[in-house]
């Protein structure tokens, strides 16, 4: 650091000195010129004046020397005038002012020159020690040159002035150098040495401390961007270190817990040289314009919550619909970018769909048709031919993108996601039979009668059966699907092993209950206390005082039972007034698919219902329902989960519902009660929640009351059991199981091709006979 300061100071000193010298040199030069011009002009004026007076008395032959002497003596006292001399045509002095005679030995050359050329001439020269300016001009009588006049002017003051400028410059440089050295030292100390020391100290603390007690970033001035990178770096290091420790512990304890690292090792082993591809309509990062900047938004989607950790663990490629208004400008020429933006771990490949196509495929067929068709939530599905055509086209477009991404790759592994892509598995399989294709259906599959409403059920089922593996959340969805296949298409179903054989291709149908990440690190002891203090302050800021807080986190969707849950809160307050001014329910509602009328109406209805119930019960310092109608980040939601006494998940029908699992995963304090709809997939795995029928308002109100008065021991026991389930069946295990099952598929020798080669008739056979792999 000292060397840096020294170098900096020397460079500054040399720089400043050179600049000062150059500028002083030019200043002196121009000042000198100015002074000389000024002097010459003054001498000329004096000379002209003198000539006018001298010439009439210039009768050199008549001895007018005395007069001339008197005349020039009158001028001799002028400032800086060294003397005046008059010469006759032969160059002999006629009159000379005192002092000059002794210093002039002969007629100076410039005077002779003036006479020869018959015009004035001037020159700077030295007279002893002094510098002088000699100006000479011829004297005339009747146009004939009869003598010459020489004026000698002292020019030493010009040199004195120049010397003064140089002296001032020297002093100025000296002062500047001193000030600059001082300033440099101070700047280095304040802005570089200080922050570097603080950065180093902070980095050391980052490296050595636990995540929970990680110090906040101090004020680091210039080093803020560097520090930001370091935080991410430290987080990755800590995560890697704790993952390695965890792995070692797990191996030692023979634990079945799945981590990102375990998934990575598992998937790498399974994939070999191949790679993992995911197709999902929803992209994990949407780039939107915010004024002049662009920000990356994580959409409200259970699918995104679940798949992001998997992609991060395996460095796969996520192929999705680019919906943000700044999406195009953030991709490369292949429409790809690395994400997450802060810590890139996998590739996002965007696919562009026109507005019209999006209207038909996404809003129309997927969300007005298939979504209500698969959820028994009493909203009528709408099927339009034009939507179906767009759906087919969009499936083709995404399939093309997959084929492009997997070009030249040996046996790629594809996980297609959800009801947006029922046709895609067959398309891929046709073009690239060596691709292992799985599709995971994130929503329920209804019974065959309900699914039969769809005019294109055959095409959808056939498209899905192009996959090697079809995953649902729970067994009953698998059964519904197999029954639908049975009623719709020519095929053979092996009910024991849950496979469908159709046209020389076998599809395995299996439940894979999706899940979330499970944070392993225990919360520091003080975290619970600070959460409850923050909760009081947060409510106070909203003008609310309440002893109990409930939370609900949903996209505003008619399948989620938000209105029913509000009615249950109203009923609770009617039946048990003791909870008035005590219990507040926070509903985080992320607006969703609002271009569909049903969703837009619902948003208005939810707001109106919250207002109605609040209007009925609210007091000056309390409100029963707090509706926060915007999307919240994962991080914000974690805080709400931890701050709440209970969480309400009251879906009328739901494939899994990850909010229930997220709530459980967030409760490291082993407190909090989950009230959970029986009609969610999650209810099968979490029987320790208070299970409710969301259509039964009385029962839900009672469940809320039970949750509020449940003693801490009971809460703890239930939460511990639920946490064990979610911990053991986390998202990494889901992905691990799904990929393992898919990789076991034998691509080269399908069971029924072998059968047909052997000439067996296509009859129902026992599972053992059918399975050859
Ligand atoms: C459900 C679906 C997902 C979808 C999510 C959000 O979880 O299964 O596929 O991404 O809802 O809905 P959106 O239409 O906004 O993607």
């Amino acid at each position: 650091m000292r060397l840096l300061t020294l170098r900096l100071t020397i460079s500054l000193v040399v720089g400043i000195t050179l600049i000062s010298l150059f500028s002083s040199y030019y200043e002196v030069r121009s000042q000198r010129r100015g002074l000389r011009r000024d002097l010459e002009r003054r001498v000329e004026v004096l000379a002209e004046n003198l000539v006018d007076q001298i010439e009439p008395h210039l009768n050199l032959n008549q001895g007018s020397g005395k007069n001339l002497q008197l005349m020039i003596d009158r001028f001799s006292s002028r400032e800086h005038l060294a003397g005046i001399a008059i010469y006759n045509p032969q160059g002999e002095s006629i009159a000379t002012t005192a002092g000059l005679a002794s210093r002039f030995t002969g007629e100076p050359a410039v005077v002779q020159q003036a006479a020869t050329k018959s015009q004035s001439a001037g020159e700077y020269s030295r007279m002893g020690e002094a510098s002088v300016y000699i100006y000479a001009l011829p004297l005339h009588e009747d146009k004939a040159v009869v003598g010459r006049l020489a004026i000698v002017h002292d020019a030493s003051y010009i040199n004195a002035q120049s010397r003064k400028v140089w002296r001032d410059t020297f002093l100025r440089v000296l002062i500047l150098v001193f000030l600059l050295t001082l300033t440099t030292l101070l700047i280095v100390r304040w802005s570089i040495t200080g922050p570097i020391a603080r950065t180093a100290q902070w980095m050391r603390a980052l490296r050595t401390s636990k995540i929970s007690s990680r110090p906040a970033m101090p004020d680091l001035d210039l080093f803020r961007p560097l520090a930001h990178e370091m935080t991410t770096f430290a987080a990755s290091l800590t995560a890697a270190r704790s993952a390695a420790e965890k792995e070692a512990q797990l191996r030692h304890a023979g634990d079945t817990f799945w981590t990102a690292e375990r998934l990575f090792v598992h998937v790498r082993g399974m994939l070999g040289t191949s790679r993992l591809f995911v197709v999902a309509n929803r992209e994990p990062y949407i780039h939107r314009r915010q004024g002049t900047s662009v920000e990356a938004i994580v959409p409200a989607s259970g699918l995104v919550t679940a798949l992001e950790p998997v992609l991060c663990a395996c460095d796969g490629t996520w192929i999705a619909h680019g919906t943000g208004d700044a999406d195009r400008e953030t991709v490369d020429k292949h429409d790809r970018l690395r994400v997450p933006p802060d810590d890139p771990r996998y590739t996002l490949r965007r696919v562009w769909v026109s507005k019209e196509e999006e209207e038909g495929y996404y809003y129309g067929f997927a969300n007005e048709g298939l979504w209500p068709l698969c959820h028994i939530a009493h909203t009528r599905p709408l099927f339009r031919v034009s939507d179906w055509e767009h759906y087919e086209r969009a499936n083709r477009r995404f399939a093309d993108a997959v084929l492009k991404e997997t070009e030249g790759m040996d046996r790629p592994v594809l996980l297609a996601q959800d009801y947006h892509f029922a046709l895609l598995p067959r398309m891929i399989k046709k073009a690239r039979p060596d691709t292992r294709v799985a599709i995971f259906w994130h929503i329920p599959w209804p019974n065959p009668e309900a699914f039969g409403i769809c005019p294109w059920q055959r095409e959808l089922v056939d498209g899905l059966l192009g996959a090697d593996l079809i995953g649902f959340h729970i067994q009953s969805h698998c059964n519904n699907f197999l029954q639908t296949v049975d009623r719709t298409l020519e095929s053979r179903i092996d009910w024991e092993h849950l496979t469908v054989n159709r046209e020389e291709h076998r599809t395995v149908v299996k439940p894979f209950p999706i899940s979330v990440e499970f944070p392993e690190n225990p919360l520091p002891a003080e975290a619970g206390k600070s959460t409850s203090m923050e909760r009081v302050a947060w409510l106070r800021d909203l003008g609310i005082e309440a002893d109990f807080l409930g939370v609900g986190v949903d996209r505003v969707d008619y399948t989620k039972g938000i209105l029913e849950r509000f009615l249950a809160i109203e009923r609770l307050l009617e039946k048990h007034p003791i909870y008035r001014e005590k219990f507040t329910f926070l509903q985080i509602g992320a607006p969703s698919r609002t271009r569909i009328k049903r969703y837009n109406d619902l948003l208005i209805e939810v707001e109106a219902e919250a207002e109605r119930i609040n209007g009925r019960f609210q007091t000056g310092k309390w409100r029963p329902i707090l509706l926060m109608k915007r999307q919240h980040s994962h991080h914000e939601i974690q805080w709400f989960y931890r701050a709440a006494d209970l969480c309400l998940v009251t879906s009328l029908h739901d494939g899994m519902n990850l909010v229930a699992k997220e709530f459980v995963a967030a409760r490291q304090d082993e407190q909090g009660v989950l009230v959970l709809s029986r009609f969610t997939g999650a209810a099968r795995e979490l029987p320790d929640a208070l299970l409710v029928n969301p259509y039964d308002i009385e029962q839900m109100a009672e469940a809320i009351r039970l949750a509020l008065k449940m003693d801490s021991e009971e809460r703890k026991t239930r939460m511990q059991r639920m946490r064990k389930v979610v911990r053991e069946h986390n998202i990494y295990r889901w992905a691990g199981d799904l990929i393992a099952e898919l990789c076991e598929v034998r691509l080269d020798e399908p069971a029924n091709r072998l059968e047909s080669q052997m000439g067996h008739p296509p009859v129902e056979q026992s599972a053992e006979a059918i399975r050859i792999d």
Side-chain angles (χ1 to χ4, degrees), residues 562-572 609 612-613 625 697 701:
I562 300 174
L563 293 172
E564 287 74 4
R565 124 181 19 156
F566 285 1
L567 292 178
I569 292 164
E570 180 180 32
R571 189 68 190 125
L572 170 85
E609 200 58 1
R612 182 186 69 74
I613 297 169
I625 297 175
I697 305 299

Side-chain angles (χ1 to χ4, degrees), residues 282 300-303 362 367 371 418-420 442-443 555 593:
R282 186 55 70 196
S301 158
L303 180 146
Y362 169 76
N367 285 317
W371 180 268
D418 235 347
Y419 57 102
H420 312 88
H442 287 255
I443 60 176
R555 283 183 306 104
R593 307 172 190 166

Side-chain angles (χ1 to χ4, degrees), residues 280-283 286 299-304 318 362-363 366-367 371 375 417-420 440-444 473 555 557 560 591-593 596 599 654-655 657-658:
N281 171 68
R282 186 55 70 196
E283 54 179 344
I286 304 176
S301 158
L303 180 146
V304 170
W318 182 318
Y362 169 76
Y363 288 106
N367 285 317
W371 180 268
H375 289 92
Q417 305 296 319
D418 235 347
Y419 57 102
H420 312 88
F440 190 80
W441 198 261
H442 287 255
I443 60 176
H473 290 300
R555 283 183 306 104
D557 190 299
K560 301 293 179 186
S592 171
R593 307 172 190 166
I596 298 174
Y599 281 82
D654 219 328
N657 195 292
L658 290 183

Side-chain angles (χ1 to χ4, degrees), residues 392-612:
E392 271 185 309
R393 260 204 295 278
N395 269 252
R396 168 61 57 205
R397 191 182 297 286
F398 279 86
D400 288 346
V402 172
L403 294 173
K404 182 106 191 86
E405 290 298 310
T406 54
E407 221 166 51
M409 200 168 279
D410 183 38
R411 298 188 174 207
V413 172
L414 174 70
L415 300 184
Q417 305 296 319
D418 235 347
Y419 57 102
H420 312 88
F421 295 116
L423 306 179
L424 184 135
R426 169 100 32 229
M427 293 173 176
I428 298 293
K429 214 54 185 181
K430 238 185 195 161
R432 282 285 303 266
D434 67 324
T435 310
R436 294 176 191 277
V437 181
I439 181 158
F440 190 80
W441 198 261
H442 287 255
I443 60 176
W445 190 282
N447 62 44
E449 290 76 22
F451 199 80
I453 292 173
C454 176
W456 294 281
Q457 63 160 336
R458 283 179 63 84
E459 287 83 347
L460 292 171
V461 172
D462 179 61
L464 286 168
L465 288 176
D468 301 299
L469 174 65
I470 303 179
F472 292 96
H473 290 300
I474 55 176
Q475 187 62 52
S476 68
H477 298 160
C478 297
N479 297 345
N480 286 346
F481 174 74
L482 290 172
Q483 282 163 11
T484 309
V485 174
D486 204 20
R487 301 238 192 130
T488 324
L489 295 174
E490 191 88 2
S491 65
R492 272 181 314 104
I493 299 172
D494 173 359
W495 289 98
E496 194 182 338
H497 292 96
L498 302 174
T499 57
V500 180
N501 297 285
R502 175 172 158 76
E503 293 168 357
E504 298 198 353
H505 178 70
R506 185 168 64 208
T507 305
V508 179
V509 179
K510 255 188 107 167
F512 296 91
I514 203 163
S515 194
V516 292
E517 235 181 333
F518 190 89
E520 266 303 273
N521 299 319
L523 267 191
E526 67 277 10
K529 212 191 280 164
S530 81
T531 306
S532 63
M533 271 156 43
E534 282 171 36
R535 167 173 127 178
V536 173
W538 179 76
L539 283 170
R540 201 187 314 112
D541 286 349
L542 293 169
I544 291 172
E545 277 176 29
D547 296 340
F548 303 105
L549 182 69
V551 70
V553 181
D554 306 83
R555 283 183 306 104
V556 181
D557 190 299
Y558 52 82
T559 59
K560 301 293 179 186
I562 300 174
L563 293 172
E564 287 74 4
R565 124 181 19 156
F566 285 1
L567 292 178
I569 292 164
E570 180 180 32
R571 189 68 190 125
L572 170 85
L573 298 173
E574 266 171 11
K575 265 179 82 178
H576 305 286
I578 185 185
Y579 291 111
R580 294 184 192 176
E581 297 205 316
K582 287 214 165 60
F583 173 63
T584 287
F585 180 71
L586 164 67
Q587 176 64 51
I588 294 180
S592 171
R593 307 172 190 166
T594 44
R595 284 181 49 194
I596 298 174
K597 186 173 178 310
R598 178 75 178 88
Y599 281 82
N600 206 29
D601 291 349
L602 178 73
L603 199 58
I604 297 168
E605 234 179 302
V606 163
E607 229 174 337
E609 200 58 1
E611 250 174 57
R612 182 186 69 74

